[in-house]
């Protein structure tokens, strides 16, 4: 780390995907800078990131909707790129509270872009989009040329953001935008130090399964057993969060090196059914996962997986971790942190890399600026 190490702003960087991307960017030679209001993340993640990376964790506490604050942070850290994770992400909740979704997701991106445009020369932005923009696809695998047909306010908000980025590129070609359409991120860092920490009852399959395994919930409800899939349950493209984090590094590198904008799927290209996940998790954990079949969940599609060839061509990236590794690392995280980041971790020191001392850049501890 030198003062010439390029800084990259991570809005929402304390969250699930943001924290894993922090680690991957640090390993790739960048200085990630977190901007987060901790509305859906826990400050304890900062200490874990310091332990994992052996370096300071710059964190600016605040909301991305505060454009002046974002501009000041971008300038002070001399950021060369921004990765925009901050936003809200529950499909069902977005149907109940559409205005909150549009305000946070659309206005949040506008605020970041205005901060960049108004005050810095930084014109490279990676945007956290979602495969949900495709809606109910006519076939699988899904490639980036498929029509977008969002079916929820959440999905609409992601597509609106993609369109805002396209308008900006058209208005000024110096903007470089990388749109990443995630499939289903799961798993955790292999150390078990950082992972997904949903509040309340998990909406998503993997956190629910891990909570059943650890005894927090009695059984999984498998939504739908009569889909036109090999075992009748829904098929998704699960992607290890560490692979996803590496995809963000590749995206930042591509924008800064080549300067060409892109929109790519990030997935494995492999579909796994709900029962396939249950069986893989049972193997990884050695625990039974009791389940019962329940009616289909409103809005779910039968199967969904990515054509990943464009990401390979444009970014030179592909996922390398399979479903067994995703389940193993989810289980490791859950076991070590039964209450997520609220868990007291007297044992975590045993699993740390040795602390780095005598750094020319000062003490290795989280730096949190309010
Ligand atoms: N499922 C169950 N029981 C549960 C939870 C989920 O059977 O308790 C099933 C679902 O019906 C589906 C599969 O597990 O077949 C995956 O469901 P998730 O809720 O984990 O994920 P989704 O594919 O529904 O949605 C996720 C994200 C969205 C994102 C989408 C993009 O939650 O934000 O992937 O592919 F848009």
């Amino acid at each position: 780390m030198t003062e010439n190490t390029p800084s990259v702003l991570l809005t929402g960087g304390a969250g699930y995907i943001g924290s894993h991307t922090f680690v991957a960017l640090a390993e790739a030679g960048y200085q990630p800078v977190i901007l987060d209001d901790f509305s859906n993340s826990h400050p304890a993640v900062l200490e874990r990131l310091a332990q994992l990376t052996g370096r300071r964790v710059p964190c600016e506490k605040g909301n991305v909707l505060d454009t002046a604050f974002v501009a000041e942070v971008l300038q002070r850290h001399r950021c060369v790129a921004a990765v925009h994770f901050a936003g809200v992400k529950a499909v069902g909740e977005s149907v109940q509270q559409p205005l909150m979704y549009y305000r946070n997701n659309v206005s949040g991106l506008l605020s970041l872009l205005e901060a960049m445009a108004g005050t810095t020369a930084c014109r490279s932005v990676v945007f956290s989009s979602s495969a949900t923009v495709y809606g109910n696809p006519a076939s699988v695998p899904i490639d980036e040329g498929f029509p977008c047909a969002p079916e929820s306010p959440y999905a609409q908000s992601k597509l609106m953001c993609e369109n805002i980025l396209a308008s900006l590129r058209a208005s000024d070609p110096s903007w470089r935008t990388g749109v990443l359409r995630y499939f289903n991120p799961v798993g955790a860092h292999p150390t078990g130090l950082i992972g997904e920490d949903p509040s309340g009852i998990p909406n998503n399959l993997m956190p629910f399964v891990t909570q059943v395994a650890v005894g927090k919930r009695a059984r999984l409800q498998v939504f739908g057993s009569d889909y036109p899939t090999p075992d009748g349950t829904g098929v998704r493209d699960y992607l290890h969060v560490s692979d996803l984090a590496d995809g963000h590094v590749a995206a930042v590198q591509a924008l800064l090196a080549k300067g060409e904008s892109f929109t790519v799927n990030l997935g494995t290209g492999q579909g796994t059914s709900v029962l396939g996940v249950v069986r893989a998790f049972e193997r990884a954990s050695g625990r039974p996962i009791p389940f019962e079949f329940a009616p289909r969940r409103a809005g779910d599609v039968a199967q969904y997986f990515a054509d990943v060839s464009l990401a390979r061509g444009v970014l030179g990236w592909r996922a390398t971790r399979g479903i067994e590794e995703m389940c193993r690392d989810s289980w490791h995280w859950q076991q070590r942190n039964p209450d997520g980041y609220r868990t007291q971790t007297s044992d975590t020191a045993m699993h740390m890399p040795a602390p780095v001392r005598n750094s020319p850049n000062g003490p290795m501890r989280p730096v949190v600026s309010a």
Side-chain angles (χ1 to χ4, degrees), residues 33-345:
V33 175
I34 294 173
L35 186 154
D36 204 301
D37 66 358
F38 295 95
S39 55
N40 191 28
S41 54
H42 197 285
V45 72
L46 302 176
E47 183 60 41
R48 307 284 186 94
L49 288 173
Q51 291 171 334
L52 258 177
T53 60
R55 67 159 71 169
R56 53 190 275 276
V57 178
C59 178
E60 305 285 350
K61 187 175 179 197
N63 194 298
V64 73
L65 290 167
D66 183 345
T67 309
F69 169 67
V70 179
E72 190 275 318
V73 169
L74 282 164
Q75 281 179 308
R76 183 156 40 83
H77 291 275
R78 288 181 285 142
C79 295
V80 296
V83 185
H84 184 51
F85 296 107
V88 278
K89 60 175 186 180
V91 174
E93 185 183 56
S94 79
V95 176
Q96 305 303 322
Q97 301 183 60
L99 299 183
M100 193 268 274
Y101 270 67
Y102 291 122
R103 167 65 68 202
N104 276 287
N105 292 358
V106 179
S107 300
L109 177 68
L110 287 173
S111 176
L112 170 66
L113 296 173
E114 285 169 354
M116 291 169 73
T119 50
T120 73
C122 172
R123 292 288 179 274
S124 297
V125 58
V126 173
F127 176 63
S128 157
S129 190
S130 167
T132 193
V133 296
Y134 296 116
N136 194 350
S139 61
V140 284
I142 303 169
D143 71 44
E144 293 80 354
F146 272 44
C148 289
E151 291 188 347
S152 67
Y154 165 68
Q156 281 285 4
S157 73
K158 290 291 179 188
L159 187 58
M160 287 178 181
C161 288
E162 291 194 14
N163 289 335
I164 288 167
L165 292 167
S167 302
L168 195 57
R169 285 195 303 272
S171 75
D172 175 355
S174 68
W175 282 93
R176 305 163 172 196
T177 68
V179 172
L180 305 180
R181 292 179 176 161
Y182 311 157
F183 280 68
N184 288 54
V186 297
H189 194 275
T191 57
L193 280 172
I194 56 172
E196 187 169 13
D197 186 15
S199 47
I201 301 173
N203 285 313
N204 296 117
L205 178 63
M206 188 64 86
F208 205 102
V209 167
T210 62
Q211 293 194 4
V212 172
V214 85
K216 271 184 146 180
R217 307 202 182 269
R219 65 182 57 79
L220 171 73
Q221 289 197 314
V222 175
F223 299 139
S225 55
D226 57 353
Y227 283 111
T229 59
D231 65 17
T233 65
V235 167
R236 295 292 182 275
D237 186 340
Y238 298 96
L239 170 69
H240 196 294
V241 66
S242 297
D243 277 325
L244 182 56
D246 291 343
H248 288 77
V249 174
V252 168
Q253 287 171 335
L255 287 184
L256 294 177
K258 298 188 212 152
E260 276 169 27
S261 296
F262 49 83
T263 297
V264 297
N265 291 337
L266 294 186
T268 61
Q270 302 288 318
T272 306
S273 71
V274 176
L275 292 183
V277 170
V278 168
R279 281 191 296 270
F281 199 91
E282 288 181 332
R283 282 194 298 275
S285 65
R287 300 237 178 145
I289 305 295
F291 67 85
E292 64 193 12
F293 288 113
R296 291 181 180 191
R297 188 171 65 177
D300 273 357
V301 302
Q303 51 174 343
Y304 221 69
F305 53 91
D307 181 321
V308 292
S309 42
L310 191 64
R312 189 149 195 189
V314 171
L315 302 179
W317 171 92
R318 72 182 175 86
T320 60
R321 298 156 177 97
I323 192 73
E324 307 289 337
E325 214 167 333
M326 299 178 213
C327 291
R328 183 198 69 195
D329 292 339
S330 293
W331 176 232
H332 191 210
W333 156 254
Q334 178 70 56
Q335 268 186 307
R336 219 171 267 319
N337 307 274
D339 293 315
Y341 288 110
R342 286 163 300 285
T343 308
Q344 294 300 314
T345 53

